Amino acid sequence: MQPDSTDPLDIADAWAQEGRQLAIATVIETWGSAPRPAGSHLVIDAEGRFEGSVSGGCVEGAVVEEARHVIATGTPCILEYGVADETAWEVGLSCGGRIRIHVARLD
Amino acid sequence: MERATLSALNAARHARQPVLLLTPLAGGAPQIIAHDAPREGALGAAVARAFASGQPARITLDGADHFLNPYLPAPRLVLIGAVHIAQALAPMAARCGLDVTIIDPRTAFATPERFAGQRVIADWPEDALSEQPLDRWTALAALTHDPKIDDDPLSAALRAGCFYVGALGSRKTHAARLERLHASGLTPAQTDRICAPIGLDIAAANPAEIAVAVLAEIIAALRRQDRPA
């Protein structure tokens, strides 16, 4: 495989080489009809710029905010989103699925 | 994750080496697991399943929750014959995420002008494929009708366990091809894997429609396989 300009892990490497601080978010579990499968990545930098996808656009905004916190503290976290969630009205998956996302800083 | 781990993971992915990343979810350094690493105990069994299925898994090791994420090589498509069907098939296959290479020793066919933005190699398949060997994450479609060009890569694709092997040609052409391949030492069990006549039967009437039929057949082979490790 050649380096792909849209591959989140290649982008993470390129960003790190530029000296940018970043976090990698990974879908670790899905239930029901989740838009992106487990293993999918989103890469986020300290300014909130991001590439990749963990939900096809449904919850990326919320993940980016959490990721900036992870970048600041260095402590990984696990996020969960879904329609059964109380946050569903704000950020949820309209498709009815649920996803769990792990976010960790690149050190 | 540490930067060195990310670099090593990306290097393995670019080299088409299947690897897994084992991440402790409560914190701690993720670890890369190579395909040929020794496999023992509960982790070994989970590693074998992840390589075989291509699916990530959650596992508990020493009471700690871990995520096991497989990174298997991206599927490739090798087209033997820089022909009209290949001109239609190559961009559609690339759009579907396949990494496409077109090989044809006939320099009049294998030109960059006929395949804008595609990887075209004007060489004999045997030589072109020695640079980039076939593997089980590769599909091969032989499209020239010419035994001198098609037979060798078809045989190589069957021996390499390519996830899809297709050959253009009528039933009569294919029967003659099978005789030659069997004479060269391949068994009927091996040659049964060749999709011929090539493509799903959608009554395709022109090169672009044949390309659709072939691409659909390749996608079915990719998605329905039990991805072997």
Side-chain angles (χ1 to χ4, degrees):
Chain A
M1 183 172 77
Q2 295 302 307
D4 175 348
S5 61
T6 64
D7 180 281
L9 295 185
D10 285 335
I11 289 168
D13 213 13
W15 285 5
Q17 282 177 32
E18 291 169 14
R20 287 156 75 170
Q21 282 205 299
L22 57 103
I24 297 173
T26 306
V27 178
I28 55 169
E29 216 164 347
T30 68
W31 299 264
S33 79
R36 298 284 289 134
S40 304
H41 295 295
L42 180 72
V43 49
I44 308 102
D45 80 358
E47 274 72 56
R49 285 174 290 192
F50 64 94
E51 292 285 349
S53 161
V54 287
S55 76
C58 306
V59 301
E60 269 75 3
V63 175
V64 166
E65 281 312 306
E66 296 289 343
R68 295 177 72 173
H69 186 66
V70 168
I71 291 170
T73 63
T75 309
C77 70
I78 292 176
L79 311 170
E80 191 174 325
Y81 301 98
V83 289
D85 212 82
E86 60 184 19
T87 61
W89 290 106
E90 294 162 29
V91 286
L93 298 171
S94 55
C95 49
R98 279 201 298 154
I99 56 175
R100 195 172 280 165
I101 298 168
H102 176 254
V103 186
R105 186 171 74 180
L106 186 70
D107 290 313
Chain B
M1 177 159 40
E2 290 176 6
R3 276 192 58 186
T5 308
L6 176 65
S7 297
L9 176 61
N10 282 342
R13 293 161 64 230
H14 297 156
R16 293 181 68 78
Q17 291 167 359
V19 291
L20 305 179
L21 189 69
L22 180 67
T23 304
L25 291 176
Q31 176 194 343
I32 293 174
I33 301 176
H35 191 258
D36 57 2
R39 295 173 190 174
E40 290 167 358
L43 175 60
V47 163
R49 273 197 304 276
F51 273 126
S53 68
Q55 298 298 315
R58 295 277 291 280
I59 53 168
T60 304
L61 297 170
D62 299 327
D65 200 7
H66 287 69
F67 183 62
L68 192 58
N69 203 7
Y71 298 86
L72 303 185
R76 279 197 326 210
L77 171 61
V78 173
L79 299 177
I80 304 300
V83 296
H84 205 162
I85 294 170
Q87 285 180 288
L89 179 51
M92 287 195 278
R95 191 72 185 79
C96 290
L98 291 156
D99 183 358
V100 183
T101 303
I102 304 112
I103 301 172
D104 197 321
R106 300 168 298 180
T107 51
F109 284 80
T111 65
E113 291 75 25
R114 285 164 51 80
F115 292 91
Q118 304 285 342
R119 189 186 306 118
V120 190
I121 304 176
D123 203 349
W124 287 92
E126 195 178 343
D127 296 324
L129 293 175
S130 67
E131 306 259 314
Q132 199 180 51
L134 299 170
D135 59 30
R136 65 187 71 223
W137 291 281
T138 301
L140 181 133
L143 304 173
T144 73
H145 292 110
D146 184 340
K148 289 196 303 299
I149 304 174
D150 282 351
D151 279 10
D152 183 76
L154 279 174
S155 176
L158 293 172
R159 292 180 204 277
C162 287
F163 74 84
Y164 173 88
V165 185
L168 191 70
S170 67
R171 285 172 208 285
K172 195 175 154 197
T173 303
H174 188 57
R177 176 187 292 133
L178 290 179
E179 280 186 26
R180 291 192 306 276
L181 293 176
H182 293 156
S184 79
L186 287 167
T187 65
Q190 288 175 303
T191 56
D192 273 355
R193 291 198 55 234
I194 301 176
C195 295
I198 199 169
L200 297 187
D201 183 3
I202 56 170
N206 57 54
E209 292 180 8
I210 294 168
V212 170
V214 174
L215 184 56
E217 194 169 52
I218 291 169
I219 292 169
L222 174 67
R223 295 302 172 204
R224 289 178 180 159
Q225 73 182 323
D226 290 316
R227 300 194 79 171

